[in-house]
Amino acid sequence: MQNRIVSTRNDEKIILFISSYPPRECGIATYSQDLIRALNNKFSSSLTLQVCALESNGITYDYPEEVRYTLKTSIAGDYEKLAEKINQDRNIQIVLIQHEFGFFHKQEEAFQQFLNLLSKPVVIVFHTVLPHPDEKLKSKITAIAASCESIIVMTHNSAGILTTDYGLPGKKITMIAHGTHLVPHLGKKFLKQKYGLNGKKVLSTFGLLSSGKSIETTIDALPAIVSKNPETVFLILGKTHPEVVKSEGEQYREMLEQKVRQYALQDHVRFVNEYLALPDLLEYLQLTDIYLFTSSDPNQAVSGTFVYAMSCACPIISTPIPHARELLTDETGMIIDFRNSQQLAAGVIRWLNDEPLRRNISINTLQKIVSSAWENAAVAHAMLFESIAGDNIALTYNPPAINLDHMKHMTTDAGIIQFSKINQPDICSGYTLDDNARALVAMCMNYKLTGDEENLDYIRRYLDFIRRCLQPDGTFINYINKDNEITAQNQTVNLDDANGRAVWALGYLVSLSVVLPAEIVSDAKTLLDQSLRSMNLVHSTRAMAFAIKGLYYYQSVVRSDEDFALFETFANRLVQMYRHESNETWAWFEGYLTYANSILPEAMLYAWMMTGNKVYKDIAISSLNFLLSQTFNENGIEVISNKNWLQKGAVPGHSGEQPIDVAYTIMTLSKFYEVFMDEGYREKMETAFNWFMGNNRLHHIIYNPCTGGCYDGLEETHVNLNQGAESTVSYLMARLTMEKYLDRGNPVRTHYRKRVALTALQRKPVFASGEKLLTDSLLS
């Protein structure tokens, strides 16, 4: 046992992983590294992750810095020494052990003694769970389980075996699916061209080669497949398992190569004899038309190769290992008998000749597996750690870097496209004023933050789209198709809300006249002045609220009594609506809660800030408090379901949660916090933002850090995988809003923010005594 010298802080909350670890070439080593990376990405501010690397056969490695210890698994005395080191480190909160029978088979008693000696809570991850154990095996597993605080398995089948065959208590077992990688879905055509596979139908399998993979099952099926589909190529990705090389050399690979020659399949089989880097592996899987999993081990509990293929949307034909039986249905794949080349050939031929079926299976597969993303696995592990450690661990989510990639990917020269299929823009869905107004706000926010000149090109595109939507009478249409034509939908849908959002976007842009180029500000001002001519006819609740927000920003730099009168008209209409509908238990403007609810109390706050009228302030606070009481609970935030709007007196639903509502809530809470400096608003802001990070009802990420997009909604049992304009731009507005609070522990920056707000206040015209109220709140 070796101890590497690594400096640690006295306040670190260390989770120690005991596992094989790269550069050792081993599936569990890769698994542990992927999990640790995901945990660090999400929780490095609250957890420190260290590793004790397992070594065997006298081989040692040059490890990365997170490896603090090594354990020679064949040396009995090293187990006791390691336990002593762990017990002496007061910062270690939990020991997590990746268990595979082969790791400890030479020193099973020493391993059990090690578990008994540890004074720290132990979590053990069983990678293999064998059914129908004999008494000896059952006794070993029972003893291991008794020494642990918690057990993790990766399938429901494994959990069932542990409770039924081993008699372990179910409350001690947590099922956390094997993690998978989010991928950008670059497109098969592009990737096939990159790897010299143009025009080919690609079958693939991957992993460290051994006879248990039964790859000969596929090679024996290939003559029949190639006779029907001569463009077929089978990729065998991966080198021979190092342990197999030690015991038998390359006999298995050589046998496979002989079969290829025997069947004259040299043009149809490619061996990629490498331990592939992850990006290369994921590209190979993304270009695959059908993935083949032919393991001959009926007790293989879980397969990382299997789920990685699913995460790349591969249609899968698999032998019936427990993991496959749990994940594959007729809609997500096909199960064949062990070593049955005839069934495999029939399945491949059917799928290769039915592209629509293959495409549907691909989408269903991705939907089935997305919940197992490493980011979700990290959330599940962290929640388990928190429950075990109690007050010793308080989880804090790391905010991801601001990423505009998907927003830009969704944007053409005409504007931002409305919908996407997964993360690919769906140009057939056309464009909307709603999305382009929000996109204009988000890009202006980013430009204000970064001064990135590239943002200006996108700002001009979104502004030009708003210009195309403006009609001669000063109103806006909302829908334009992919051919830049106004659609009939504009005649059948109420467009007031879209008009209100346009006023918000234009007003916000004009308010940034200090930082934006003069010609952009001038264009926006011209459009806004034209649109305000007809806005007094608007009575839609949210349209008026968005217009109030836009007029507030506009009035901060452009003085106009006429516009101020319109501002007050809208504010007073909202007051009348509130007085008509509200009562002791329902402090709201309507008899129902629908979408974008938080814009209403926010509009009332702007009204008070502009006028000093205390009525507006009281309604702003009471209506926001009511909304928060309906949307925040023990799960964090659960916004109003778009499946059934919340009627007065009804109970909130729990599905159809939209990113746009969470984002608007964050923006509203931010404004209330800036004005009143109430820490409760800031805390709820963080809670709401963590909804995107995975702190939600399903504990699934909503923001996709791989693409920079945002999933379109949190449904009852899953996320909507599409990453359209509304959700992606909404997330970005939320993330940009949160940026100014990330350094909240720095008093210099806090003072700077208050001074910036005060400077902006002093620039805007004074219409009423409310100015002093706002000044006092900002300097308090």
Side-chain angles (χ1 to χ4, degrees):
M1 193 277 295
Q2 292 183 347
N3 182 16
R4 302 178 78 194
I5 304 301
V6 179
S7 61
T8 59
R9 301 190 317 269
N10 289 331
D11 61 344
E12 284 184 312
K13 308 300 182 183
I14 296 173
I15 310 296
L16 179 66
F17 283 67
I18 299 180
S19 173
S20 58
Y21 207 71
R24 180 174 175 178
E25 293 174 348
C26 163
I28 293 178
T30 303
Y31 170 92
S32 292
Q33 186 176 60
D34 286 338
L35 176 58
I36 286 171
R37 283 174 176 168
L39 282 163
N40 273 326
N41 285 339
K42 295 195 78 69
F43 300 109
S44 62
S45 59
S46 44
L47 299 175
T48 298
L49 308 173
Q50 295 181 353
V51 177
C52 171
L54 301 176
E55 296 182 341
S56 61
N57 300 319
I59 301 174
T60 190
Y61 301 91
D62 183 16
Y63 292 107
E65 63 180 359
E66 61 266 25
V67 176
R68 177 73 183 271
Y69 309 95
T70 60
L71 174 65
K72 302 289 186 184
T73 56
S74 60
I75 302 176
D78 280 7
Y79 288 84
E80 183 176 351
K81 293 176 184 176
L82 177 62
E84 184 179 350
K85 289 286 186 183
I86 292 171
N87 291 338
Q88 287 174 350
D89 190 337
R90 64 179 185 177
N91 288 333
I92 294 177
Q93 305 296 314
I94 293 170
V95 178
L96 183 143
I97 302 171
Q98 305 290 354
H99 180 275
E100 186 59 82
F101 290 103
F103 284 162
F104 309 108
H105 73 281
K106 292 182 180 179
Q107 293 293 345
E108 291 179 349
E109 289 186 12
F111 175 65
Q112 183 60 56
Q113 183 184 15
F114 167 72
L115 294 177
N116 295 338
L117 287 172
L118 285 175
S119 61
K120 312 286 185 175
V122 174
V123 176
I124 197 151
V125 184
F126 284 127
H127 286 257
T128 296
V129 179
L130 297 174
H132 316 301
D134 57 25
E135 285 304 314
K136 182 178 180 182
L137 177 59
K138 184 175 181 179
S139 176
K140 288 178 184 178
I141 297 301
T142 302
I144 290 172
S147 304
C148 299
E149 184 79 18
S150 182
I151 298 166
I152 294 175
V153 293
M154 299 180 204
T155 66
H156 294 289
N157 179 73
S158 293
I161 292 172
L162 287 178
T163 56
T164 302
D165 293 7
Y166 292 85
L168 300 185
K171 64 182 180 180
K172 204 169 193 176
I173 301 168
T174 300
M175 202 291 283
I176 303 177
H178 191 299
T180 57
H181 293 279
L182 298 170
V183 297
H185 301 287
L186 298 173
K188 292 186 190 299
K189 186 176 180 180
F190 166 77
L191 290 172
K192 285 181 179 181
Q193 184 174 4
K194 176 178 177 178
Y195 287 94
L197 292 163
N198 260 345
K200 302 297 184 181
K201 295 290 180 61
V202 178
L203 315 177
S204 76
T205 193
F206 89 93
L208 294 170
L209 267 61
S210 67
S211 59
K213 300 284 187 183
S214 193
I215 292 171
E216 62 270 22
T217 301
T218 299
I219 294 177
D220 288 339
L222 277 177
I225 295 169
V226 170
S227 69
K228 298 289 187 181
N229 298 91
E231 71 279 20
T232 300
V233 172
F234 178 40
L235 304 179
I236 302 172
L237 308 170
K239 62 193 294 187
T240 303
H241 198 293
E243 297 301 319
V244 173
V245 173
K246 290 175 189 174
S247 61
E248 62 185 56
E250 292 285 359
Q251 290 181 26
Y252 182 64
R253 180 184 297 276
E254 290 166 358
M255 182 273 289
L256 296 177
E257 291 171 343
Q258 173 58 33
K259 272 187 173 287
V260 170
R261 290 191 294 271
Q262 174 188 336
Y263 292 128
L265 292 171
Q266 292 91 329
D267 292 337
H268 299 279
V269 179
R270 293 188 191 178
F271 289 87
V272 182
N273 187 14
E274 301 176 42
Y275 191 81
L276 289 168
L278 179 64
D280 297 332
L281 171 61
L282 295 179
E283 287 190 348
Y284 273 117
L285 292 176
Q286 287 176 78
L287 64 79
T288 294
D289 292 293
I290 302 174
Y291 184 80
L292 304 172
F293 184 84
T294 53
S295 169
S296 59
D297 181 2
N299 293 321
Q300 184 173 351
V302 67
S303 168
T305 66
F306 180 90
V307 292
Y308 278 24
M310 290 188 75
S311 74
C312 292
C314 294
I316 296 176
I317 296 177
S318 174
T319 49
I321 68 166
H323 204 182
R325 293 201 307 269
E326 192 162 302
L327 289 177
L328 294 188
T329 66
D330 290 342
E331 295 181 342
T332 58
M334 182 187 302
I335 292 179
I336 61 172
D337 295 334
F338 291 108
R339 301 186 183 279
N340 195 319
S341 298
Q342 291 77 22
Q343 288 181 0
L344 188 149
V348 168
I349 291 168
R350 178 190 171 203
W351 281 2
L352 287 182
N353 291 285
D354 192 340
E355 187 171 345
L357 173 63
R358 207 166 65 245
R359 188 184 306 116
N360 286 338
I361 291 173
S362 177
I363 293 171
N364 293 338
T365 296
L366 191 60
Q367 182 68 74
K368 181 82 172 182
I369 204 66
V370 69
S371 63
S372 68
W374 279 116
E375 289 76 6
N376 292 333
V379 171
H381 280 83
M383 290 175 61
L384 178 62
F385 298 156
E386 188 177 41
S387 69
I388 292 171
D391 294 339
N392 289 333
I393 292 178
L395 293 179
T396 302
Y397 288 76
N398 298 337
I402 296 168
N403 182 355
L404 305 181
D405 287 353
H406 188 59
M407 181 176 175
K408 293 177 179 179
H409 183 50
M410 292 286 292
T411 300
T412 68
D413 289 341
I416 192 165
I417 297 169
Q418 183 176 194
F419 297 141
S420 74
K421 294 179 179 178
I422 311 299
N423 67 316
Q424 297 305 311
D426 180 10
I427 187 61
C428 293
S429 67
Y431 308 85
T432 69
L433 175 63
D434 285 333
D435 292 328
N436 281 272
R438 283 187 288 261
L440 181 63
V441 171
M443 199 59 78
C444 285
M445 291 173 72
N446 193 70
Y447 183 77
K448 178 184 176 184
L449 175 69
T450 67
D452 184 350
E453 294 291 318
E454 185 182 337
N455 294 168
L456 296 176
D457 175 52
Y458 289 90
I459 288 171
R460 290 186 177 96
R461 294 189 214 185
Y462 305 138
L463 186 59
D464 285 345
F465 184 89
I466 294 175
R467 180 184 292 108
R468 291 199 301 278
C469 291
L470 184 63
Q471 302 301 291
D473 64 355
T475 63
F476 293 96
I477 54 95
N478 191 28
Y479 302 98
I480 291 180
N481 67 19
K482 64 183 179 66
D483 299 315
N484 204 30
E485 300 166 336
I486 296 174
T487 71
Q489 192 174 2
N490 291 290
Q491 308 303 318
T492 60
V493 176
N494 189 309
L495 303 179
D496 283 357
D497 287 4
N499 279 252
R501 288 189 190 91
V503 171
W504 165 36
L506 294 169
Y508 180 67
L509 189 157
V510 173
S511 75
L512 301 180
S513 58
V514 173
V515 296
L516 285 169
E519 82 278 3
I520 291 179
V521 175
S522 177
D523 288 348
K525 182 179 181 303
T526 299
L527 294 173
L528 185 54
D529 287 341
Q530 293 177 33
S531 69
L532 291 176
R533 297 200 312 261
S534 59
M535 281 300 292
N536 65 325
L537 301 176
V538 169
H539 286 78
S540 166
T541 314
R542 282 155 190 77
M544 292 189 295
F546 280 118
I548 287 172
K549 187 170 183 176
L551 284 166
Y552 171 82
Y553 282 116
Y554 189 43
Q555 292 288 304
S556 70
V557 293
V558 178
R559 186 188 300 267
S560 167
D561 292 339
E562 183 179 355
D563 292 343
F564 179 70
L566 178 62
F567 179 96
E568 276 199 311
T569 297
F570 284 155
N572 289 333
R573 287 177 185 171
L574 291 180
V575 169
Q576 292 306 312
M577 296 176 75
Y578 180 85
R579 287 173 172 170
H580 182 267
E581 290 293 342
S582 63
N583 57 39
E584 290 183 0
T585 60
W586 188 264
W588 200 244
F589 306 82
E590 300 161 313
Y592 42 79
L593 289 168
T594 58
Y595 70 98
N597 296 298
S598 70
I599 189 61
L600 303 182
E602 187 179 344
M604 288 287 91
L605 180 62
Y606 290 125
W608 169 66
M609 291 165 67
M610 184 75 83
T611 68
N613 186 332
K614 188 175 181 297
V615 170
Y616 299 150
K617 175 187 175 184
D618 292 343
I619 292 176
I621 294 173
S622 62
S623 60
L624 179 63
N625 288 343
F626 171 74
L627 177 61
L628 298 179
S629 74
Q630 300 298 308
T631 53
F632 282 82
N633 56 37
E634 66 277 4
N635 293 326
I637 184 172
E638 294 186 45
V639 292
I640 304 304
S641 170
N642 71 341
K643 307 299 183 186
N644 285 299
W645 302 133
L646 179 62
Q647 303 294 322
K648 186 185 292 188
V651 177
H654 297 293
S655 65
E657 297 175 56
Q658 302 296 293
I660 189 171
D661 285 316
V662 180
Y664 282 158
T665 300
I666 290 168
M667 297 174 81
T668 297
L669 287 166
S670 174
K671 184 55 64 176
F672 272 74
Y673 178 63
E674 287 177 12
V675 173
F676 299 113
M677 299 304 290
D678 183 333
E679 284 298 305
Y681 293 137
R682 184 188 59 75
E683 290 168 3
K684 282 185 168 58
M685 231 189 308
E686 290 186 3
T687 297
F689 186 74
N690 288 341
W691 181 88
F692 290 102
M693 301 295 100
N695 186 24
N696 51 53
R697 178 171 43 82
L698 295 182
H699 306 300
H700 289 187
I701 57 168
I702 309 299
Y703 169 68
N704 184 324
C706 174
T707 64
C710 179
Y711 295 128
D712 277 353
L714 186 69
E715 306 301 340
E716 185 173 358
T717 60
H718 62 278
V719 295
N720 182 331
L721 291 181
N722 298 324
Q723 298 162 50
E726 177 184 290
S727 55
T728 294
V729 173
S730 295
Y731 164 78
L732 283 170
M733 289 191 295
R735 176 63 185 84
L736 288 160
T737 298
M738 294 300 297
E739 181 68 11
K740 57 189 171 185
Y741 302 104
L742 299 183
D743 57 351
R744 57 185 173 271
N746 185 331
V748 176
R749 288 291 297 162
T750 302
H751 178 71
Y752 171 74
R753 287 199 305 272
K754 292 180 180 179
R755 293 307 309 170
V756 169
L758 179 59
T759 302
L761 172 67
Q762 291 170 338
R763 284 203 307 267
K764 78 183 182 66
V766 177
F767 288 108
S769 60
E771 304 299 344
K772 185 176 186 301
L773 294 172
L774 178 57
T775 303
D776 290 344
S777 73
L778 286 168
L779 290 180
S780 61

